Amino acid sequence: MPFTMATPAQRRLVETRHRGWVAPAAAQFSFGAYAPSAELAPFLDQFWITHWDLDEPFEQHLVSHPSVNLTITEEFSRVAGVIRGTFHCRMEGTGRVVGARFRPGGYRPFLEGPVSQLTGRFLPLHEDELSAEVLAADDEGAMAAIERFLLARGPRPDPVVDEVAALVRLVEEDVSVTRVDRLAELAGTSVRSLQRVFNDYVGIGPKWVIRRFRLHEVAARMNSSEPVDLAALAVQLGYADQAHLTRDFTSAIGTPPATYARTSA
């Protein structure tokens, strides 16, 4: 029987997608994404909670999004910047992860410097009281505790966050945006200015963001039951050819697209 999780009664369940999760063991864990409060909506994209109940240990591979995450488990409490490559999360027995995923750019109001200082890093949270409160609470209580913690920092809405988040969302949803100069044109700015604001607010450049979402798209297509013409998909997503797509995908995911499709199935 699939493992299921009750939805916290006070939270709106937002769209749940496993993009970035490499071949998840879906039958033995549950993933729920929940909307933040109105006060934190300018900064947070969602809360996400994973529960698992495994017969044997499982190594979950993840391909990150262009976002900062705050995560609390029995094993660690940390803030993760944008991770350029893949990373792993080991799960065993029964457990839970409570996470807060910031909007692209949404962590900038909590810092005194550019978000790029966090890129590629997992930083311990060093907030023992918060961690203990989250671990002792049910899902709703855990999210409420993180919200109180963040709101106590007094973040102020920043219009640049909205602009950056909108551009990142455009890249994610419009697969025709395959070049940085095209994104800069749509943003009404220069390539250099776009690169500066992305490094300051997102933590990584727009070229990486475009490539990362294209890899998410390839993985989603290979994970579906529909046949995929990789050569045509490569052209659609802005790659020079199928070989270019395959190299990029293999470098990030660790396996070629065709092998990934067989493994996922």
Side-chain angles (χ1 to χ4, degrees):
M1 291 290 291
F3 185 63
T4 59
M5 177 180 68
T7 301
Q10 300 176 39
R11 295 278 171 175
R12 177 174 63 85
L13 187 68
V14 298
E15 180 184 10
T16 300
R17 296 190 297 176
H18 286 91
R19 288 200 170 193
W21 296 62
V22 180
Q28 292 182 289
F29 77 81
S30 67
F31 177 86
Y34 305 94
S37 66
E39 292 85 355
L40 276 174
F43 315 103
L44 278 188
D45 178 24
Q46 61 182 230
F47 285 101
W48 55 271
I49 300 178
T50 301
H51 287 252
W52 62 87
D53 188 0
L54 300 172
D55 299 326
E56 55 186 58
F58 180 76
E59 195 86 7
Q60 178 65 63
H61 293 215
L62 298 143
V63 183
S64 65
H65 291 250
S67 301
V68 173
N69 280 267
L70 184 159
T71 53
I72 296 177
T73 76
E74 290 281 358
E75 301 298 322
F76 57 78
S77 299
R78 68 191 185 191
V79 173
V82 177
I83 306 302
R84 293 184 179 90
T86 58
F87 62 100
H88 305 159
C89 180
R90 182 176 174 83
M91 304 174 179
E92 55 184 315
T94 301
R96 179 184 71 168
V97 177
V98 179
R101 189 170 87 185
F102 290 80
R103 299 174 71 196
Y107 198 70
R108 183 63 177 82
F110 293 88
L111 285 176
E112 295 182 355
V115 179
S116 57
Q117 66 185 290
L118 304 178
T119 300
R121 303 173 68 190
F122 296 97
L123 302 180
L125 191 56
H126 297 308
E127 293 288 345
D128 293 342
E129 185 176 334
L130 171 65
S131 298
E133 186 176 0
V134 167
L135 294 174
D138 60 12
D139 290 347
E140 175 60 37
M143 290 185 282
I146 293 174
E147 288 204 325
R148 288 192 296 271
F149 170 78
L150 293 175
L151 288 171
R153 270 78 198 143
R156 296 186 177 183
D158 182 341
V160 180
V161 173
D162 292 333
E163 296 169 9
V164 169
L167 288 172
V168 173
R169 177 59 64 87
L170 174 65
V171 171
E172 181 178 18
E173 296 181 347
D174 187 349
V175 297
S176 71
V177 179
T178 60
R179 295 175 57 89
V180 176
D181 56 358
R182 174 56 178 159
L183 183 61
E185 180 184 354
L186 293 170
T189 189
S190 68
V191 169
R192 290 292 297 274
S193 293
L194 186 69
Q195 290 169 335
R196 282 195 296 269
V197 76
F198 265 62
N199 278 284
D200 190 8
Y201 277 76
V202 183
I204 203 159
K207 181 178 180 179
W208 184 94
V209 173
I210 291 171
R211 285 301 187 205
R212 180 47 49 100
F213 281 135
R214 298 303 158 258
L215 291 178
H216 284 184
E217 182 67 24
V218 175
R221 300 280 187 96
M222 303 308 293
N223 227 351
S224 73
S225 58
E226 299 296 323
V228 178
D229 182 337
L230 278 176
L233 182 60
V235 172
Q236 180 186 11
L237 299 183
Y239 288 93
D241 51 30
Q242 181 178 337
H244 183 197
L245 181 153
T246 299
R247 287 195 302 272
D248 204 14
F249 188 91
T250 304
S251 175
I253 307 297
T255 184
T259 304
Y260 176 82
R262 290 194 298 271
T263 303
S264 297

